[in-house]
């Protein structure tokens, strides 16, 4: 298992109920998409926050990645909804 710092932003943070956490990820979590699927198993608040996972943006070590990108060696992973302008 690998330990990684997760940071949540905007309504992802509000729905999960915390700004971030450090988690031990199972070896089966290889990509950003795997991470989202895994997080949804951690409880109702995660499932609600990540219900539409295709719109969730992921940044690994402060660089945006696609959901199929590997997350090996990540120190920090941020999850946030799409940005809206105004």
């Amino acid at each position: 298992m690998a330990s990684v710092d997760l940071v949540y932003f905007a309504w992802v943070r509000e729905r999960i109920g915390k700004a971030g956490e450090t988690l031990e990820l199972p070896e089966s979590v290889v990509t950003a998409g795997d991470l989202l699927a895994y997080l949804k198993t951690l409880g109702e608040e995660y499932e609600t926050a990540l219900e539409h996972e295709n719109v969730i943006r992921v940044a690994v070590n402060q660089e945006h990645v696609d959901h199929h990108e590997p997350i090996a060696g990540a120190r920090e992973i941020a999850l946030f909804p799409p940005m809206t302008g105004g």
Side-chain angles (χ1 to χ4, degrees), residues 9-21:
F9 291 96
W11 53 257
V12 174
R13 175 190 302 197
E14 293 167 14
R15 291 175 184 167
I16 290 176
K18 52 187 150 188
E21 61 191 319

Side-chain angles (χ1 to χ4, degrees), residues 15-80:
R15 291 175 184 167
I16 290 176
K18 52 187 150 188
E21 61 191 319
T22 300
L23 289 180
E24 294 287 328
L25 300 178
E27 290 181 17
S28 60
V29 176
V30 176
T31 66
D34 293 341
L35 173 65
L36 295 175
Y38 171 71
L39 290 174
K40 288 169 69 172
T41 70
L42 298 183
E44 188 175 326
E45 64 275 19
Y46 292 90
E47 197 171 332
T48 299
L50 305 173
E51 179 180 12
H52 303 289
E53 66 186 74
N54 58 317
V55 302
I56 300 294
R57 303 285 311 267
V58 180
V60 175
N61 299 332
Q62 300 184 354
E63 289 190 26
H64 293 275
V65 298
D66 291 329
H67 287 193
H68 67 273
E69 293 289 325
I71 58 171
R75 294 179 309 281
E76 177 188 85
I77 300 176
L79 305 180
F80 46 93

